[in-house]
Amino acid sequence: MRIPIESSTSYRGRNSRPNWLILGAFIGVALAAGTLATLFSPRVSAAANDWYAMLAKPAWTPPRSWFGPVWLALYVLMGTSAWLIWRERYHRSRSAALAAYAIQLLLNALWAPLFFGAASIGAGLFVIVALWLSIAWTIREFAAVKAAAAWMLVPYLVWVGFASALNLAIWKMNQ
């Protein structure tokens, strides 16, 4: 006797057809975190622009024009990697991986309001180090579910590592 297998589901339980609407939602949520950061950034906030312009910064600070495109690419990668994990519906580590992702996204959204909005370099440093650690944790959790999703977060980890070093340098120079 043959058991019919529905063609829309693979043996691992994920959809064989991608759900583009859900992909758009995952990318949209990641971009929403970035939009919050932009609202507090020197590009949009005159108060943040004045405060940030007065700070001593290291010579290796990248030009402001780099931040928008880099973060846009990173948010698209983040949303896509989370979507890949979401598609693994029956993987036992899926929930833990998505929880780690949510925590790092929350920390990501908190950094700009603290650093620029509250003009607190120290609080920003604390949050960005916690963010870097949570990204590493998310990569570990994603790797247990789908390696490609974990690798998509590596540029994000590298960039936040660089941003952490920059935050630390600014904190040291402005004490």
Side-chain angles (χ1 to χ4, degrees):
M1 172 176 186
R2 276 189 94 154
I3 299 173
I5 298 175
E6 187 180 329
S7 64
S8 65
T9 305
S10 74
Y11 72 95
R12 295 180 69 192
R14 73 175 174 269
N15 290 338
S16 62
R17 291 173 286 154
N19 187 329
W20 300 115
L21 186 60
I22 300 297
L23 172 61
F26 272 101
I27 292 172
V29 168
L31 288 171
T35 300
L36 177 65
T38 301
L39 295 175
F40 290 93
S41 73
R43 175 174 279 176
V44 174
S45 168
N49 186 45
D50 294 342
W51 173 76
Y52 189 69
M54 292 176 33
L55 294 176
K57 294 176 261 327
W60 47 271
T61 302
R64 284 188 190 179
S65 61
W66 286 20
F67 289 95
V70 169
W71 277 112
L72 177 63
L74 293 174
Y75 286 124
V76 170
L77 284 171
M78 289 163 54
T80 304
S81 68
W83 173 74
L84 289 173
I85 298 302
W86 173 82
R87 290 187 70 211
E88 298 294 329
R89 291 202 169 106
Y90 298 107
H91 198 287
R92 64 181 168 199
S93 299
R94 175 184 176 232
S95 294
L98 290 174
Y101 176 78
I103 290 168
Q104 70 77 29
L105 195 59
L106 176 64
L107 289 169
N108 180 302
L110 285 175
W111 182 83
L114 288 173
F115 186 86
F116 292 118
S120 179
I121 302 168
L125 181 59
F126 179 80
V127 169
I128 203 164
V129 169
L131 173 60
W132 189 88
L133 292 169
S134 69
I135 296 166
W137 173 44
T138 303
I139 289 171
R140 183 177 145 242
E141 295 297 323
F142 276 26
V145 178
K146 189 167 188 78
W151 281 108
M152 291 175 82
L153 294 180
V154 170
Y156 177 38
L157 182 71
V158 171
W159 181 257
V160 170
F162 172 76
S164 298
L166 182 59
N167 195 152
L168 176 63
I170 292 171
W171 179 70
K172 284 182 176 181
M173 295 174 79
N174 291 280
Q175 281 190 341

